[in-house]
Amino acid sequence: MVGPAARDYRVGGPEADRAASSGLVEAEWFRPPIEPERLRELQIRGNFRAATDTITWLGLLGGFGYLAFISLGTWWAIPAFAAYGALYGGAGDSRWHECGHGTAFKAKWLNDVVYYLASFMLLRQPTLWRWSHVRHHTDTIVVGRDAEIIFPRPSSPTSVALVFVPLLNVPKMVVRTAQHAVGRIDDEARSFIPADELPKLKWESRVYIAILAGTTAWSLAAWTIVPLLYIGLPTVYGAWLMVFFALTQHAGLREDVLDHRLNTRTVYMNPVFRFLYSNMNYHVEHHIFPTVPYYALPALHQEVKAHLAPPSPNTWTAYRHILSTLRRQWRDPAYDESRDDVPAVPDADRAFVNTGHTVWAGDRHDGLFDLGPASALAPGSARQVEVGDEAYALFRMNDGTLACTEGLCTHGQAYLAEGVVLDCLVECPKHNGRFDLRTGEAVRHPATDPLALYPVEIRNGRVVSSLESLSGETQP
């Protein structure tokens, strides 16, 4: 006997209004305390580790693809294609994810190349899913807002099983892509994609459809399914591995809360799983600190684990809890997996837990605001400055140049002093948007509006500013 009627999980539906009225939309989330210097160390990116992992992944993909080709017509082709599909439609997911955040490689173009490649492997339209994932991080498992909730409640055993074999989901994705290709963009996509990004969605969809149509035509002309086994179908027959990992993230946990410790799960996994999954098993840590690259997540876990719920000791234990919870939610959609093991943290309900240095600026006799000692700001670091109710961010770029900006990201209203300084850029700690500290320009989505810049100079070892915007706007 199934319990109460299901909620409306459509993005932008009536539940979205309820979430907004409840203060769940674009709210501030709990962050555990961490030493600022240690966090900055963990945020450092490089190209070597990501390149090594990517080359290994693509090498394995190519190797199993070759084994599948030379074993065509024999039973050996089955395990070879199974491994190829798992690497293509399964392990490609975490590469898509990390490069979508822009944290895997230090070089932006490398992140973009791998992101677009993995997006196609998963048949995810790059612009659609980039903004969908921004929403997922903004309103994680908030009904009516998050488009990435895998199991709407109540989920039947049949719906759970079908997630692992996406015979219905993938065709729906292809149909949606075809609709976008002809300009029929649905309301859900319009609800979270900026209007000026919608043309990209159309052209990306056309490229996808052209590649899939060309591969299908090749298969028909040659009267063989082999081309489709390499392009297109691996998204179906290899998706089980993606789902196997993805279910450990949020399934069975609480909806509509502002604490990732209650709706997100960390699971200890073996080295092979961690490679295939790009360390995303440390998922609570990733959601709280998305500016930390995947290869630093194990170290981040050690820094903050005392403030989080104990991780699942292994994948098997996590699945026992997940499947048990989903079975109970089928009968009682209001049931949640217990999170009584979340430790109490002082000020856990604060809207903002400062992980950087905050100074309260004071007036100098000549009318300039004192922003603190210049020596306290090392290259590549930031400091929050508050004047009355206004927040500012003071940065020292890697070349030693100082910059002062408004304190909140123009997209997600996150404190930029908690972000990471990358040469002359600052990356927002909430959605990985980036700004050029020399010009204030937004240079990486989801950020689109520029930052206000303020003049700074050093007098007697102190950083001072008039806090009059270089564009002419004066702050109190």
Side-chain angles (χ1 to χ4, degrees):
M1 184 73 179
V2 177
R7 299 172 67 183
D8 188 338
Y9 282 78
R10 292 175 301 160
V11 173
E15 290 285 353
D17 295 333
R18 186 203 61 79
S21 64
S22 300
L24 296 170
V25 175
E26 297 186 358
E28 294 291 340
W29 292 67
F30 165 77
R31 297 184 75 185
I34 183 172
E35 287 295 326
E37 284 300 324
R38 181 58 176 148
L39 179 58
R40 277 193 283 272
E41 291 173 1
L42 294 171
Q43 290 171 329
I44 295 173
R45 294 90 183 268
N47 293 326
F48 180 78
R49 171 64 186 275
T52 300
D53 288 347
T54 301
I55 291 170
T56 302
W57 167 57
L58 293 176
L60 290 169
L61 184 69
F64 280 109
Y66 176 72
L67 289 176
F69 180 77
I70 63 175
S71 59
L72 285 171
T74 73
W75 288 107
W76 290 108
I78 295 176
F81 272 115
Y84 175 84
L87 290 163
Y88 184 113
D93 175 61
S94 62
R95 277 73 191 172
W96 164 87
H97 177 267
E98 290 305 289
C99 292
H101 276 278
T103 55
F105 296 91
K106 182 178 181 180
K108 179 181 181 298
W109 72 271
L110 287 172
N111 284 312
D112 290 343
V113 167
V114 177
Y115 176 72
Y116 277 93
L117 173 63
S119 293
F120 176 76
M121 288 179 169
L122 302 167
L123 296 181
R124 293 175 179 168
Q125 302 161 74
T127 296
L128 174 72
W129 280 80
R130 187 188 298 277
W131 289 98
S132 170
H133 200 65
V134 167
R135 174 65 66 81
H136 171 64
H137 269 261
T138 303
D139 302 326
T140 308
I141 318 301
V142 173
V143 178
R145 295 283 297 178
D146 189 350
E148 298 183 19
I149 298 177
I150 297 179
F151 289 132
R153 302 183 190 183
S155 293
S156 69
T158 301
S159 65
V160 173
L162 286 176
V163 169
F164 285 90
V165 186
L167 295 175
L168 298 178
N169 188 45
V170 170
K172 287 180 180 178
M173 291 172 62
V174 174
V175 169
R176 189 184 192 190
T177 301
Q179 291 173 335
H180 291 169
V182 297
R184 293 174 54 192
I185 300 174
D186 52 84
D187 291 339
E188 179 180 298
R190 292 181 183 276
S191 72
F192 54 74
I193 300 177
D196 59 356
E197 290 281 290
L198 294 176
K200 292 183 183 179
L201 185 62
K202 180 172 65 175
W203 285 105
E204 290 165 356
S205 300
R206 290 177 177 177
V207 171
Y208 277 27
I209 294 300
I211 295 174
L212 293 176
T215 305
T216 303
W218 179 11
S219 291
L220 290 173
W223 202 244
T224 174
I225 198 174
V226 171
L228 286 170
L229 287 175
Y230 282 98
I231 301 174
L233 287 180
T235 310
V236 179
Y237 70 78
W240 67 269
L241 183 63
M242 173 195 65
V243 177
F244 174 76
F245 289 133
L247 258 62
T248 66
Q249 297 174 1
H250 308 285
L253 297 177
R254 295 184 188 174
E255 299 171 335
D256 301 340
V257 292
L258 296 179
D259 190 335
H260 290 110
R261 301 175 303 167
L262 302 178
N263 66 11
T264 309
R265 183 183 290 106
T266 284
V267 181
Y268 288 144
M269 293 184 179
N270 62 60
V272 174
F273 279 9
R274 291 204 308 271
F275 167 74
L276 293 172
Y277 195 27
S278 300
N279 281 339
M280 278 296 105
N281 54 298
Y282 297 101
H283 213 66
V284 179
E285 294 82 353
H286 162 70
H287 265 271
I288 297 176
F289 297 103
T291 54
V292 174
Y294 72 92
Y295 34 83
L297 288 178
L300 173 64
H301 171 71
Q302 294 300 321
E303 296 291 332
V304 299
K305 67 179 181 179
H307 306 293
L308 310 180
S312 295
N314 51 57
T315 311
W316 169 249
T317 301
Y319 260 90
R320 281 197 299 109
H321 287 302
I322 291 168
L323 295 177
S324 174
T325 300
L326 291 177
R327 184 168 59 251
R328 294 188 63 170
Q329 288 175 347
W330 181 35
R331 295 171 173 80
D332 178 12
Y335 176 78
D336 291 304
E337 180 181 317
S338 174
R339 294 272 84 182
D340 295 335
D341 50 1
V342 172
V345 177
D347 297 325
D349 58 346
R350 288 179 58 191
F352 166 56
V353 178
N354 184 34
T355 60
H357 300 291
T358 301
V359 299
W360 284 262
D363 272 314
R364 290 174 60 87
H365 68 276
D366 55 3
L368 296 180
F369 289 92
D370 184 346
L371 308 186
S375 60
L377 204 59
S381 64
R383 181 165 71 214
Q384 182 169 313
V385 179
E386 295 180 0
V387 180
D389 294 330
E390 297 295 328
Y392 303 86
L394 182 65
F395 302 92
R396 188 183 289 276
M397 292 177 267
N398 287 356
D399 65 0
T401 305
L402 291 168
C404 183
T405 74
E406 57 188 293
L408 297 175
C409 174
T410 58
H411 169 258
Q413 296 295 290
Y415 290 90
L416 289 173
E418 291 192 336
V420 55
V421 179
L422 305 168
D423 296 325
C424 60
L425 306 176
V426 60
E427 182 174 286
C428 173
K430 191 171 184 179
H431 298 123
N432 305 100
R434 294 181 186 175
F435 301 89
D436 190 322
L437 293 172
R438 299 165 300 183
T439 65
E441 178 186 5
V443 296
R444 186 180 188 277
H445 290 316
T448 55
D449 295 331
L451 287 173
L453 297 180
Y454 303 93
V456 290
E457 58 180 291
I458 298 176
R459 292 189 182 181
N460 298 321
R462 310 286 294 184
V463 183
V464 296
S465 172
S466 65
L467 294 183
E468 294 181 0
S469 170
L470 294 174
S471 63
E473 180 182 354
T474 302
Q475 296 290 338

